Amino acid sequence: GGKVKLAFLIPRANHLKIIGPVWDEAKRRGHQVEALVMPADPKGAGVLAHIQAELGAPSRSTRRLWEVDFDWVVAVGLRTAPDLRQRTRPQLKWAALDHCGDNLTFLLEGNSTANWDLVTTLSEEAKQFAVAETGGYFGNDLVPIGYPELDQLSLQTMTREACRAKWNLPAGQMVVLFGTAARPIRLGRIRRWWFGQVRYRQIVRALRQWCDERGALLIAKTRAKHGDPAWLARICDRVVGDESFYPFSTLELLQAADLYIGFASAMAIEACAVGIPQVHLHGWPPERYEWPSAWPMKQRFFLERDGLWNTSFSSQVACYAPSWAGRMRFHLSVVGDGVTGPGHRNGSAAQGRAYARWAGPLDGKASSRFLDLLEIRCGG
């Protein structure tokens, strides 16, 4: 097809991990691309610097939407810019990329696909599950394309060796990547306080001891919203935040590591894609802290057998049970001993299947599939 004019709406820096691969593929196809920001987004701090550094593009305010005749505006997540969408349709077409399956959760909460012209999601199986949960209502509205974020794994800078060099990690040493604890919103203040003050520190100390016995480096991967305690940096060898999203720091560190351990998080999506042994910790009974709307999907695609947290080389430990410390050591040793070195990568075929069930094919072509859809729908 001919050239397509695309505006990418980027209110938050972390949307770049999904938009980056699509942006580059669009440029490769000769389409016209422009980055737009929404200055009012409360979580948008630092977005301009990230856009400039990672896309190599200046960004403009959404006020440009009135002036330029775009074929498509592309955004991440069905919750994005409801007022702007309402004001600019039908003269502008809007397309939604998915983030972690949030689009499905949004629909399961009783929301609709109104004011979107194209809604994509990750896998066919997760789509069918959500369609069944919503009584078949959204069957024709959702197009599964895979997960553009993981197209980044096809970058030449994403090999294990390149990632070790970039993050200054010794080639022969075992590296354990620890995802720091997010604080579930739906849990009472006192239990959260107790976990943060007591159990969390016990877990990190036990992990440190396990690493020391093997001469392993312990790197904590955090996010600004985790609000890590000061002692974390004293126990771990390094604490790393999101330095960039395209390339995505989390993906680079997973590629560089030999083992991942974290709190039942969606980082399992990336960890299974990379094929790294994993131990997932539950600080609380999961049914207590998950959003009710997301719970059935979390159960099916994460918790149950052959889910992202529960497949071979990917195991779970309940850290609220009395025997948690012994179980954690046991699981770390089962999946983690003997994994050092590049020969043990690409984990298990089972991890690949768990990834595909939730996030679709891992073939580096999700961005391509998305742009094919935009090109096809440009007429009319």
Side-chain angles (χ1 to χ4, degrees), residues 178-182 200 220-223 226-229 232 236 239-240 260-263 265 267:
F178 170 56
T180 63
Y200 186 21
K221 169 66 184 64
T222 187
R223 297 166 70 188
H226 289 184
D228 294 319
L232 189 74
C236 299
V239 179
V240 181
Y260 162 78
I261 176 170
F263 290 90
S265 109
M267 231 165 115

Side-chain angles (χ1 to χ4, degrees), residues 7-307:
F8 288 88
L9 185 64
I10 311 172
R12 300 176 187 179
N14 71 334
H15 291 184
L16 283 167
K17 63 184 186 176
I18 298 154
I19 281 171
V22 179
W23 172 280
D24 273 358
E25 177 60 20
K27 276 173 53 177
R28 198 187 65 71
R29 295 182 181 203
H31 298 323
Q32 186 182 317
V33 292
E34 187 158 339
L36 301 174
V37 291
M38 299 176 66
D41 193 290
K43 294 186 181 172
V47 67
L48 295 170
H50 280 281
I51 290 172
Q52 183 72 61
E54 295 165 35
L55 297 183
S59 51
R60 313 216 168 133
S61 159
T62 47
R63 285 186 283 280
R64 293 270 297 161
L65 274 178
W66 319 118
E67 302 164 27
V68 184
D69 183 21
F70 291 112
D71 296 307
W72 282 99
V73 185
V74 176
V76 174
L78 290 174
R79 302 168 202 273
T80 305
D83 301 345
L84 196 59
R85 287 200 318 276
Q86 199 158 0
R87 290 207 304 272
T88 54
R89 283 178 86 255
Q91 67 268 35
L92 287 176
K93 283 199 179 82
W94 283 77
L97 290 161
D98 202 346
H99 177 248
C100 274
D102 284 353
N103 284 356
L104 299 180
T105 311
F106 181 76
L107 299 176
L108 291 173
E109 284 166 8
N111 298 298
S112 82
T113 53
N115 291 324
W116 290 99
D117 299 280
L118 171 63
V119 178
T120 65
T121 186
L122 310 184
S123 76
E124 179 65 37
E125 187 177 335
K127 169 196 159 165
Q128 293 303 342
F129 185 77
V131 165
E133 291 270 312
T134 50
Y137 187 71
F138 296 107
N140 298 322
D141 294 358
L142 300 167
V143 187
I145 58 164
Y147 201 9
E149 181 206 306
L150 276 303
D151 289 357
Q152 291 193 41
L153 289 175
S154 309
L155 296 170
Q156 281 162 348
T157 52
M158 270 291 176
T159 63
R160 174 189 163 88
E161 295 68 30
C163 293
R164 285 231 164 180
K166 175 171 177 178
W167 290 93
N168 200 17
L169 299 168
Q173 191 171 8
M174 184 181 189
V175 172
V176 175
L177 186 65
F178 170 56
T180 63
R183 298 180 310 246
I185 356 179
R186 295 189 60 245
L187 218 60
R189 269 220 313 264
I190 291 168
R191 289 197 67 173
R192 277 212 319 247
W193 179 88
W194 179 85
F195 181 82
Q197 294 297 315
V198 181
R199 181 54 46 88
Y200 186 21
R201 198 185 298 221
Q202 291 169 340
I203 289 166
V204 181
R205 284 220 172 102
L207 178 58
R208 173 79 267 174
Q209 188 184 344
W210 188 88
C211 289
D212 287 344
E213 288 161 11
R214 287 153 184 79
L217 270 177
L218 178 57
I219 298 179
K221 169 66 184 64
T222 187
R223 297 166 70 188
K225 70 176 188 182
H226 289 184
D228 294 319
W231 52 259
L232 189 74
R234 294 197 292 271
I235 299 179
C236 299
D237 295 303
R238 222 189 280 181
V239 179
V240 181
D242 286 315
E243 293 191 8
S244 68
F245 296 96
Y246 187 58
F248 188 24
S249 302
T250 295
L251 270 180
E252 292 178 328
L253 289 164
L254 284 166
Q255 278 286 46
D258 297 295
L259 172 68
Y260 162 78
I261 176 170
F263 290 90
S265 109
M267 231 165 115
I269 300 169
E270 287 91 355
C272 281
V274 164
I276 186 174
Q278 303 156 50
V279 176
H280 300 281
L281 309 174
H282 295 284
W284 303 266
E287 67 279 2
R288 292 280 303 277
Y289 66 80
E290 287 293 349
W291 288 112
S293 55
W295 175 236
M297 291 178 74
K298 271 279 163 68
Q299 260 182 300
R300 166 92 174 260
F301 293 97
F302 285 76
L303 257 145
E304 287 174 5
R305 191 81 200 111
D306 302 325

Side-chain angles (χ1 to χ4, degrees), residues 283-334:
W284 303 266
E287 67 279 2
R288 292 280 303 277
Y289 66 80
E290 287 293 349
W291 288 112
S293 55
W295 175 236
M297 291 178 74
K298 271 279 163 68
Q299 260 182 300
R300 166 92 174 260
F301 293 97
F302 285 76
L303 257 145
E304 287 174 5
R305 191 81 200 111
D306 302 325
L308 289 155
W309 296 333
N310 185 11
T311 188
S312 54
F313 295 104
S314 187
S315 56
Q316 311 177 77
V317 177
C319 292
Y320 48 87
S323 56
W324 69 269
R327 285 177 53 84
M328 185 175 109
R329 282 187 68 86
F330 171 76
H331 282 289
L332 281 169
S333 301
V334 166

